[in-house]
Amino acid sequence: MRLDHVLPAPEDTRALGAALAEVVRAGDLIVLIGPLGAGKTALTQGLGQGLGVREPVTSPTFVIARVHSGGRVPLVHVDAYRLGSVADVDDLDLDASADESVTVVEWGQGLVEQLTDEHLEVRLDRGDDDVRTAVLVPHGTGWTERLDVA
């Protein structure tokens, strides 16, 4: 899998998420970084589709976290935008389900990395022409091997 992606349309962002679904496993943490409108939720929608999640994957902005089951692996989708500290993250008890789920956290940089020994950081951006880009940054040998970037 390439580490740099150009994503001209939302469908391309969802396709990247579906491709990631092929390599994720229970216990994985994916941290999504990027400004508003960069494609964080679209990527998570593709991941959910690739995992076989049946219900719609929508932004958890107002509920902070949603659990989507029914797929190959449960998907925990978190929006940490309104969380101010690691203590706020601890209050969510994400570590209680982390071993059985794939956990995706929007706006989680600096707040959630301690949940697992390894994680995948996905840096999303949107250009003036509305073309999105994604850079996959593996943290840990497990992610490096699965993304085949050794």
Side-chain angles (χ1 to χ4, degrees):
M1 178 176 289
R2 292 186 352 261
L3 295 181
D4 295 284
H5 299 265
V6 176
L7 309 164
E11 296 78 30
D12 299 305
T13 306
R14 285 190 279 279
L16 176 59
L20 284 173
E22 296 178 17
V23 299
V24 297
R25 56 184 174 223
D28 282 344
L29 172 65
I30 301 174
V31 181
L32 304 181
I33 301 165
L36 286 172
K40 296 179 292 294
T41 299
L43 186 121
T44 307
Q45 289 169 337
L47 181 65
Q49 181 181 12
L51 290 173
V53 169
R54 294 184 193 126
E55 70 265 12
V57 174
T58 59
S59 176
T61 299
F62 299 106
V63 295
I64 300 178
R66 293 184 196 276
V67 178
H68 302 279
S69 52
R72 176 175 64 84
V73 178
L75 172 64
V76 177
H77 184 196
V78 179
D79 185 325
Y81 184 77
R82 293 182 293 151
L83 302 180
S85 67
V86 172
D88 290 342
V89 172
D90 287 344
D91 289 344
L92 294 176
D93 286 330
L94 294 176
D95 52 348
S97 62
D99 289 343
E100 304 100 32
S101 305
V102 173
T103 304
V104 177
V105 183
E106 299 184 21
W107 305 100
Q109 185 177 25
L111 296 172
V112 298
E113 294 87 351
Q114 81 285 351
L115 292 173
T116 59
D117 292 333
E118 300 184 341
H119 66 279
L120 177 65
E121 185 177 294
V122 181
R123 297 178 186 167
L124 295 153
D125 203 3
R126 182 178 77 186
D128 292 336
D129 57 0
D130 276 342
V131 172
R132 275 95 173 148
T133 58
V135 177
L136 308 181
V137 182
H139 293 268
T141 56
W143 275 109
T144 301
E145 290 170 358
R146 280 189 274 163
L147 297 176
D148 195 26
V149 293

